Amino acid sequence: MAFSTRIYADYGMEKKTGTDKYHSLGTILELPDGREFKYAKAGAVALGLGLTVATPAPIAHHDMDLVTAAAAVGSTSISVTLEGTLATEDQYADGYIYTNDLASEGQVYRIAGHDAIDSAGTGAMNLAENDKVAVATTSDTLSGLIANPYSAVVVTPTTVLNRTCGVPATEIAALAYGWVQTKGLASVQVLGTVVVGQPVRVAGVTTAGAIASLNRDGSDENE
């Protein structure tokens, strides 16, 4: 099924949420005033209004060096064996499989969906429409799975785990879909005092999801 990567809508569309998926994760919504939002799915905890949200940390048993089955040129799926943590159905839908070592390394393919895979089990990653294997993989190929950055997003923790990806336009219930703002005027929770025109940080603070003034004289300078 094909999805548009950018849609234009009137004010209020950015506040629509629900458990049904209507767009590809990461789809851009642009309002008449130029503000932009991306389509995201919340993780197991609801996303609060005005809090920054982030991509969850990669899963160590999924993200690289997975034994990969041979796949001929033109194949529409690639099978991998997980290293210890199960994968739920479509956990990597709209995400990517990439070959990271040995034969045919360096390829990246978009994942359309997949069945649930047991811990240490083997499963096929079905590739996006028209995205077929271009260089054959072999039994020596090693691969990794990367979730879509807007899948299972969490309130930005106080310790950096992954990229910050936006601010919800309204509360998004656990496991529901909604829009997180990535561009333009936004309302964001602030911790302490910030100075107009000065940089802020989104992690390393005492309140998850809040922003604070950037302190450049220590551990905060990279956040």
Side-chain angles (χ1 to χ4, degrees), residues 62-66 80 96-100 142-146:
H62 297 177
D63 65 349
M64 65 184 300
D65 291 341
L66 302 181
V80 294
Y96 305 90
I97 178 170
Y98 73 103
T99 55
N100 73 275
L142 297 178
S143 300
L145 302 174
I146 300 296

Side-chain angles (χ1 to χ4, degrees), residues 17-23 39 175-177:
T17 68
T19 55
D20 292 328
K21 182 181 180 182
Y22 291 109
H23 310 280
Y39 197 60
L175 304 180
Y177 297 91

Side-chain angles (χ1 to χ4, degrees), residues 92-149:
Y92 289 96
D94 295 338
Y96 305 90
I97 178 170
Y98 73 103
T99 55
N100 73 275
D101 202 5
L102 303 177
S104 73
E105 65 182 0
Q107 301 182 77
V108 179
Y109 297 99
R110 178 86 165 191
I111 298 171
H114 59 87
D115 293 334
I117 307 173
D118 291 335
S119 173
T122 299
M125 297 292 128
N126 301 311
L127 306 184
E129 185 178 5
N130 299 319
D131 197 6
K132 299 177 175 61
V133 173
V135 179
T137 61
T138 74
S139 58
D140 291 327
T141 302
L142 297 178
S143 300
L145 302 174
I146 300 296
N148 186 287

Side-chain angles (χ1 to χ4, degrees), residues 97-221:
I97 178 170
Y98 73 103
T99 55
N100 73 275
D101 202 5
L102 303 177
S104 73
E105 65 182 0
Q107 301 182 77
V108 179
Y109 297 99
R110 178 86 165 191
I111 298 171
H114 59 87
D115 293 334
I117 307 173
D118 291 335
S119 173
T122 299
M125 297 292 128
N126 301 311
L127 306 184
E129 185 178 5
N130 299 319
D131 197 6
K132 299 177 175 61
V133 173
V135 179
T137 61
T138 74
S139 58
D140 291 327
T141 302
L142 297 178
S143 300
L145 302 174
I146 300 296
N148 186 287
Y150 295 91
S151 175
V153 299
V154 299
V155 173
T156 305
T158 55
T159 299
V160 175
L161 298 177
N162 213 321
R163 58 178 286 187
T164 297
C165 57
V167 180
T170 189
E171 182 172 304
I172 304 175
L175 304 180
Y177 297 91
W179 299 95
V180 297
Q181 188 170 353
T182 58
K183 178 181 177 180
L185 183 67
S187 178
V188 187
Q189 182 172 325
V190 172
L191 180 68
T193 301
V194 295
V195 179
V196 174
Q198 295 298 310
V200 296
R201 55 192 167 108
V202 295
V205 295
T206 57
T207 301
I211 63 172
S213 294
L214 177 63
N215 182 352
R216 295 189 182 277
D217 60 358
S219 62
D220 296 336
E221 63 183 314

